[in-house]
Amino acid sequence: DGTPVCHICASSPCEWEEFGPDVKEQIKLLCFRQEEDGKEIIIDENGVEVNNNTMRKHSYRFFTRLKHGHLGKGNRMNIPLCVVDEIRKSFPEEKEEDCIGFQEK
């Protein structure tokens, strides 16, 4: 059908290409970035600083809700690697080993 295949997750279309713009838009509604003492920080709608770990979790939830709808408490799904990679690039950990990844309950 001519739709490009994702070079990371092999989905067609790439799930980040499909849902990423909406995830980014939801994040913009939730918070904003500002510079403080030469360091970029993230501030939520209440004026409170938010860390990258929290922002990654929000982004994963937004993606899952956009793609699958509300799953309900405790219901989890694996997120495609292309989506995880882009979210981690947007909200990196100070140390890569701090990222746990998906874990079955």
Side-chain angles (χ1 to χ4, degrees), residues 6 8-9 16 78-88:
C6 178
I8 297 173
C9 69
W16 181 252
N78 206 354
I79 296 174
L81 187 56
C82 61
V83 175
V84 172
D85 283 352
E86 289 298 324
I87 290 172
R88 285 183 178 173

Side-chain angles (χ1 to χ4, degrees), residues 11 15 18-19 23 59-72 75-80 83 102:
S11 290
E15 295 194 26
E18 186 175 356
F19 297 102
V23 171
S59 298
Y60 297 144
R61 277 190 216 108
F62 288 143
F63 168 79
T64 302
R65 193 171 301 128
L66 285 168
K67 181 172 180 187
H68 303 287
H70 181 70
L71 298 178
N75 295 321
R76 301 161 30 127
M77 299 196 77
N78 206 354
I79 296 174
V83 175
F102 182 79

Side-chain angles (χ1 to χ4, degrees), residues 4-5 25-26 30 37-38 41 47-48 50 54 58 65-66 74 78-79 83-84 87 91 98-99 101 103:
V5 175
E25 191 59 37
Q26 289 292 317
L30 184 66
D37 298 327
I41 61 172
V48 177
V50 181
T54 299
H58 283 308
R65 193 171 301 128
L66 285 168
N78 206 354
I79 296 174
V83 175
V84 172
I87 290 172
F91 305 104
D98 289 343
C99 285
Q103 296 180 338

Side-chain angles (χ1 to χ4, degrees), residues 8-41:
I8 297 173
C9 69
S11 290
S12 180
C14 171
E15 295 194 26
W16 181 252
E17 293 294 323
E18 186 175 356
F19 297 102
D22 290 332
V23 171
K24 289 178 183 179
E25 191 59 37
Q26 289 292 317
I27 291 297
K28 284 181 187 175
L29 295 173
L30 184 66
C31 68
F32 64 93
R33 295 175 189 245
Q34 73 181 37
E35 185 115 351
E36 185 174 285
D37 298 327
K39 179 184 171 198
E40 184 180 78
I41 61 172

